[in-house]
Amino acid sequence: MNFHDSYLEDCLNRKIIFFTGKGGTGKSSLAWATAIACQKKGKQVTVASWSRYSDSLASIPTFDVRIEWIPLETLSAFHEYALHLLKFEKIYDVVFENQILKIFILAAPGLSETVIAGKIWDLWHEKKKELIIVDMPSSGHAISFFQSPLGVKKIFHIGIVHKNTVRICEMFSDPETRIDLVALAEELPITESLELKQKLSVLHPFHFGFVHINQMTPELALPTKESLEALAISSRRCLERHMNHLVQEKNLVEMANRMELPILKIPRLATENQTKTVTGLADILEKM
Amino acid sequence: MNGLFENKRVFLIGGPGGVGKTTVAASLGIALAQKGYKTIVLTVDPAKRLAQALGFDNFERDIQKVPLPSPSQGELFASMLDSQRYFDRIIERFAKNPEQCNKILNNPIYRIGTENLGGTHEYAAMERLLEFSNNHEYEKIIIDTPPSQNAVELFKAPQRLSSFMDSSVLKWFTGSRPGFVKLFHRSTRLAMKLFERLFGSDFLTSFGNFLEDLHGMHEGFKNRNLEVIQLLQSELTSFLLVTYPSEIRYHECVSFLGTLQERGIPLQAIIFNKTEQSIQPEDLKSSSILEYYQKIYDIQRCWMREFSNYLPHTPIIELPRLPQEPHQLADLSQIGEKLLR
């Protein structure tokens, strides 16, 4: 699939978009903002996330229907999965009364990630879900997640889990699947994104989408030369910091260009709370 | 020097990803060393230039001596955690003999597990902390905690691993593997059936073998876990939360504090990193930029008040946003001075 001209247009033509990147870069905010922007265009959007703070975001009022939010949690995903196999809740309860099993599910290598990936596959497979946005955990965990079906394939040679991993890999490399990277205009998040893209490229033939550089210093009007001299020292220091940040960010954006992906510069918003941030970001993304 | 730092030995620097934990940890390390203490900073994943400032140009040595910006009685060391390698060392330590050790290290389940398993970094960090703490050479130990989706992971990881290694898990698996003729509980039989359908029977065999290899190591893990808990609850340990004054960070902080309380670990201070400074009111009209920064300042103050209403007795330290990302030892030393004041 070729890139569509605009960000929003591209999003509307996908079936699933994964938001990944370093912790604290604003993946959840951008994932939700994208969901809102797409929903405004009439898409049926589902957001799936690990983050526990998403529930406060799920209640953001949007146009018609609320965006559906699916929390991704290992034990409940496993429960669903096993129920599907066992058919009877009672049998499941007998089996899973067992504490050891719970420990096993949480601690067995790659199992937790594969179970979650299976859950995402189920959502992806559902016809009525038009667009699924996945708010991923930070880089390291994201790599484990995308790696898990490969690792699990090596450990589980047969069985249902093995079969599922094949399907999951298909979903990852589907042309209607997109991977977006979220970073800040700071050294560590940018280098981490560069590495992340490299590491992920080795795992699956992913279709990478956009690099979001979040919380960029906005380019607003500076004071005139005459008024500059009249400013207090503290205000001048603020301007100096501002200018410095602009220069640094320019360099970092250049570095991000090495990813050879379209870059979205997302400004840092002066908003009081998360709801306002997300709705503000949605307005910005809508025009991108 | 601030009593918060004088009377403590171990400093855990925690907080959500991207708030500048590593910078704070390095700065505190420099400041304490400048005060004359023999100090070690354990960091997990520093930015490249910060790593260079700390002397990690080559990653060969485990512990590096860091040159201080000005002469001092104290010394600063920095150590970077390589979780995978460190985990291997833990296995080496707890294994009963070299044979058992090799068997585990070469097991694909172990390899994939330690690469992928959530909590590996956290476990390795806590384990390493214990090592430094038991080494009485160091007067001050600072640990930059791994970035987690959820900071709670730090405390849960050792516990989870310990319960995974629990001998009852072992017995359950090794005793109920296909081919073993034993009397099972009904639930075990059903669970096994389910597992076979899900993972295939050969996996159960190799997993059982893996657990068998781990046999006898559980005590070691359990004892270490208890030691970690003791160290975290000790009066000499201090937990410092680095965060940012905003709504989302506020909610995170509240939930995190709940976890600390459950485990009997007190919070020593909140450090707000990268805060904005106020603008002279008469300057606000001269540009939209200054207005913008003032608005951010006001919002930050509002969330700082929420934090201090929630934690009226916890000291708050503020570190203003710098014109540049601090990468030089001198910058870090300045931040460190502010922390100790």
Side-chain angles (χ1 to χ4, degrees):
Chain A
M1 179 186 267
N2 291 322
F3 271 120
H4 290 266
D5 292 342
S6 76
Y7 174 72
L8 196 65
E9 192 67 19
D10 193 275
C11 294
L12 294 171
N13 282 290
R14 304 279 173 173
K15 172 85 195 196
I16 185 162
I17 306 172
F18 290 91
F19 279 83
T20 174
K22 191 181 181 300
T25 53
K27 288 182 295 292
S28 303
S29 304
L30 285 162
W32 279 96
T34 304
I36 292 170
C38 292
Q39 198 225 11
K40 280 187 187 172
K41 295 280 172 203
K43 269 264 165 176
Q44 194 71 46
V45 188
T46 305
V47 175
S49 75
W50 276 256
S51 168
R52 54 193 298 185
Y53 300 102
S54 283
D55 32 4
S56 61
L57 286 170
S59 56
I60 293 171
T62 44
F63 278 137
D64 33 351
V65 218
R66 280 181 173 185
I67 293 167
E68 186 187 16
W69 173 55
I70 310 249
L72 299 171
E73 197 266 318
T74 308
L75 286 176
S76 52
F78 195 84
H79 186 167
E80 233 173 83
Y81 193 32
L83 255 186
H84 179 72
L85 288 172
L86 292 171
K87 311 286 185 223
F88 299 106
E89 180 97 31
K90 269 221 172 100
I91 300 183
Y92 182 91
D93 287 347
V94 175
V95 172
F96 285 83
E97 263 165 26
N98 201 320
Q99 281 302 318
I100 291 163
L101 231 116
K102 281 188 190 155
I103 295 168
F104 170 78
I105 294 162
L106 291 174
L111 183 58
S112 187
E113 288 87 351
T114 313
V115 168
I116 299 274
K119 167 90 190 165
I120 297 172
W121 189 89
D122 284 343
L123 299 175
W124 180 70
H125 197 60
E126 249 180 75
K127 278 263 163 4
K128 66 176 198 285
K129 302 222 184 307
E130 296 179 347
L131 172 64
I132 301 146
I133 290 182
V134 187
D135 175 16
M136 299 286 297
S138 52
S139 317
H141 289 108
I143 293 170
S144 326
F145 172 80
F146 288 120
Q147 208 169 30
S148 66
L150 304 172
V152 162
K153 251 198 217 165
K154 277 184 227 154
I155 306 182
F156 311 116
H157 303 287
I158 45 173
I160 294 166
V161 170
H162 174 84
K163 262 187 227 149
N164 280 356
T165 59
V166 179
R167 301 196 302 201
I168 291 165
C169 291
E170 273 167 23
M171 168 177 76
F172 287 160
S173 54
D174 190 275
E176 281 179 8
T177 299
R178 194 179 88 197
I179 314 283
D180 275 19
L181 300 156
V182 183
L184 299 179
E186 284 172 22
E187 190 203 328
L188 199 55
I190 297 278
T191 41
E192 211 171 294
S193 302
L194 282 161
E195 278 173 25
L196 183 61
K197 193 201 165 204
Q198 216 170 15
K199 285 182 186 160
L200 292 179
S201 308
V202 180
L203 296 178
H204 302 273
F206 283 123
H207 297 266
F208 287 99
F210 297 82
V211 179
H212 303 245
I213 304 188
N214 197 14
Q215 293 183 31
M216 299 266 302
T217 307
E219 295 190 34
L220 296 168
L222 290 165
T224 56
K225 263 200 180 144
E226 301 84 68
S227 63
L228 201 62
E229 276 160 32
L231 294 179
I233 296 177
S234 64
S235 312
R236 273 194 243 172
R237 283 221 183 105
C238 174
L239 288 172
E240 196 192 321
R241 274 202 304 273
H242 174 76
M243 300 311 287
N244 269 331
H245 286 145
L246 286 179
V247 174
Q248 284 171 54
E249 287 176 0
K250 206 171 156 248
N251 295 334
L252 288 157
V253 169
E254 259 164 47
M255 205 166 134
N257 267 324
R258 294 216 304 258
M259 276 179 260
E260 293 174 337
L261 294 174
I263 287 177
L264 301 175
K265 293 185 202 170
I266 318 271
R268 179 183 182 204
L269 302 179
T271 37
E272 290 88 345
N273 55 44
Q274 189 57 13
T275 309
K276 284 190 181 165
T277 307
V278 173
T279 42
L281 288 174
D283 291 341
I284 291 170
L285 290 176
E286 222 180 311
K287 293 177 199 104
M288 280 186 155
Chain B
M1 186 165 120
N2 193 325
L4 278 177
F5 299 98
E6 202 170 0
N7 308 322
K8 304 283 175 180
R9 180 161 175 251
V10 175
F11 301 91
L12 280 113
I13 316 289
V19 292
K21 285 187 294 287
T22 309
T23 308
V24 169
S27 305
L28 181 61
I30 293 170
L32 289 171
Q34 301 266 37
K35 292 276 175 211
Y37 294 104
K38 185 165 182 183
T39 307
I40 186 153
V41 179
L42 172 65
T43 141
V44 182
D45 185 18
K48 202 174 160 216
R49 277 182 288 169
L50 183 62
Q52 281 165 355
L54 293 174
F56 286 116
D57 276 339
N58 60 8
F59 292 88
E60 275 164 29
R61 259 175 305 160
D62 185 22
I63 296 172
Q64 305 261 357
K65 188 165 178 175
V66 183
L68 292 170
S70 56
S72 152
Q73 288 281 305
E75 281 176 293
L76 179 64
F77 296 87
S79 171
M80 208 171 82
L81 189 72
D82 176 345
S83 299
Q84 178 72 62
R85 210 160 73 184
Y86 197 69
F87 223 85
D88 291 354
R89 265 171 54 191
I90 297 171
I91 297 290
E92 277 162 30
R93 170 156 11 107
F94 292 146
K96 282 178 297 188
N97 51 51
E99 201 197 2
Q100 182 188 24
C101 176
N102 281 338
K103 245 175 146 178
I104 295 167
L105 296 186
N106 295 321
N107 190 310
I109 296 179
Y110 168 79
R111 274 287 149 233
I112 293 168
T114 47
E115 273 165 28
N116 282 351
L117 188 61
T120 315
H121 291 300
E122 286 83 353
Y123 184 84
M126 285 292 125
E127 178 66 28
R128 193 81 171 114
L129 167 65
L130 211 54
E131 249 180 42
F132 287 139
S133 164
N134 292 340
N135 181 346
H136 294 283
E137 241 182 86
Y138 300 111
E139 293 167 293
K140 303 278 179 191
I141 302 159
I142 299 154
I143 165 160
D144 165 28
T145 60
S148 340
Q149 174 78 351
N150 188 339
V152 178
E153 194 58 31
L154 188 65
F155 306 111
K156 284 193 178 158
Q159 209 178 347
R160 200 194 303 151
L161 200 78
S162 169
S163 39
F164 179 65
M165 307 276 293
D166 193 297
S167 46
S168 55
V169 178
L170 259 157
K171 248 188 236 144
W172 194 84
F173 256 97
T174 51
S176 56
R177 253 167 39 216
F180 279 64
V181 188
K182 274 191 183 171
L183 281 174
F184 298 135
H185 190 261
R186 196 167 104 89
S187 77
T188 309
R189 253 195 340 255
L190 274 167
M192 269 303 148
K193 250 183 155 167
L194 174 70
F195 267 46
E196 261 188 67
R197 282 189 69 186
L198 287 174
F199 312 121
S201 53
D202 61 339
F203 167 71
L204 287 184
T205 313
S206 54
F207 196 78
N209 286 340
F210 175 56
L211 287 176
E212 227 164 59
D213 292 344
L214 292 176
H215 190 71
M217 288 173 71
H218 171 245
E219 275 303 298
F221 275 93
K222 196 168 111 194
N223 293 340
R224 291 301 268 191
N225 183 31
L226 292 177
E227 268 184 83
V228 167
I229 294 168
Q230 252 172 25
L231 177 66
L232 292 178
Q233 291 172 340
S234 148
E235 280 189 355
L236 292 174
T237 302
S238 164
F239 197 96
L240 305 166
L241 182 72
V242 185
T243 188
Y244 178 87
S246 74
E247 187 195 18
I248 223 164
R249 299 296 175 226
Y250 172 77
H251 293 302
E252 263 171 12
C253 172
V254 169
S255 112
F256 183 61
L257 283 171
T259 314
L260 282 184
Q261 265 164 8
E262 266 169 40
R263 287 166 172 74
I265 304 162
L267 177 71
Q268 287 297 318
I270 296 181
I271 300 168
F272 288 119
N273 198 15
K274 297 186 198 171
T275 56
E276 299 295 342
Q277 302 297 292
S278 78
I279 306 292
Q280 285 293 322
E282 58 269 27
D283 291 343
L284 287 175
K285 284 193 187 72
S286 68
S287 93
S288 47
I289 280 290
L290 293 173
E291 260 178 81
Y292 165 82
Y293 282 109
Q294 180 65 33
K295 186 157 184 223
I296 294 186
Y297 171 84
D298 290 337
I299 296 164
Q300 288 186 342
R301 294 294 125 175
C302 163
W303 285 107
M304 280 164 89
R305 275 194 298 276
E306 289 290 324
F307 271 91
S308 55
N309 286 343
Y310 184 71
L311 295 163
H313 307 297
T314 308
I316 287 179
I317 302 170
E318 207 188 317
L319 300 173
R321 204 186 223 291
L322 297 171
Q324 258 141 20
E325 279 187 64
H327 293 303
Q328 305 294 326
L329 281 183
D331 301 336
L332 297 172
S333 160
Q334 258 181 14
I335 299 174
E337 283 293 312
K338 275 210 184 83
L339 279 171
L340 294 196
R341 222 180 286 149

